[in-house]
Amino acid sequence: MTLTTPALLFPAISLLLLAYTNRFLVLAQLIRQLKQMESEKERSIIARQLGMLRKRIVLTKRMQALGVLSFFGCTLSMFALFLGAQTLGVVCFGISLILLSLSLLYSLYEIIISTNAINVELEDFEQRQQQQKGS
């Protein structure tokens, strides 16, 4: 394995971390919006969303941590290869790939939860539409 092999992951991991940060910012914005809701109907929606939001925050934190550790492992791999420690470089690169894979799995789970949260909003919207038609 050459020095350029782990270097190929640098742009991918950087973009992935940027995407994770954007997801975190969207979550923070959503939480701020929920905090401003006042009516009883809105509070019932908030109650259904809170558990999912907490889980999504934890998952996003884990995704980011594993992504950063993957980036660090990739850097160690390049450093080891630079020093001529081929075996250590390959091991570090393998660990980096495993960490990146775990980060992506957390991301997939967060997407599933996010979809469920959107379905909660859609259910509420549909109920309001039906109530307006019934009135």
Side-chain angles (χ1 to χ4, degrees), residues 8-76:
L8 291 173
L9 275 185
F10 267 68
I13 295 172
S14 297
L15 288 173
L16 192 62
L17 290 174
L18 181 62
Y20 290 169
T21 300
N22 286 337
R23 284 159 90 170
F24 179 78
L25 292 174
V26 168
L27 275 174
Q29 182 181 13
L30 178 59
I31 290 168
R32 288 184 187 103
Q33 287 173 353
L34 287 175
K35 186 178 178 184
Q36 294 175 357
M37 293 180 155
E38 292 296 327
S39 75
E40 286 301 316
K41 285 185 180 179
E42 291 172 333
R43 286 186 181 157
S44 69
I45 296 169
I46 293 171
R48 293 176 68 190
Q49 295 280 12
L50 284 179
M52 287 185 268
L53 285 170
R54 287 185 196 284
K55 191 177 284 189
R56 288 176 65 193
I57 289 169
V58 169
L59 289 172
T60 302
K61 181 174 69 172
R62 289 178 184 171
M63 290 168 3
Q64 289 175 324
L66 288 169
V68 168
L69 289 173
S70 175
F71 206 1
F72 184 69
C74 207
T75 304
L76 286 178

Side-chain angles (χ1 to χ4, degrees), residues 77-131:
S77 172
M78 289 178 61
F79 188 66
L81 291 171
F82 175 74
L83 294 176
Q86 183 74 17
T87 304
L88 180 61
V90 170
V91 169
C92 287
F93 184 65
I95 291 170
S96 176
L97 290 176
I98 290 169
L99 292 170
L100 182 60
S101 298
L102 290 172
S103 175
L104 291 171
L105 287 173
Y106 275 119
S107 176
L108 178 62
Y109 187 43
E110 193 273 335
I111 289 169
I112 292 168
I113 293 172
S114 175
T115 305
N116 291 338
I118 291 170
N119 284 330
V120 167
E121 292 291 331
L122 287 175
E123 288 171 12
D124 179 63
F125 180 72
E126 289 169 347
Q127 286 176 356
R128 288 183 189 191
Q129 292 296 319
Q130 289 174 356
Q131 288 174 355

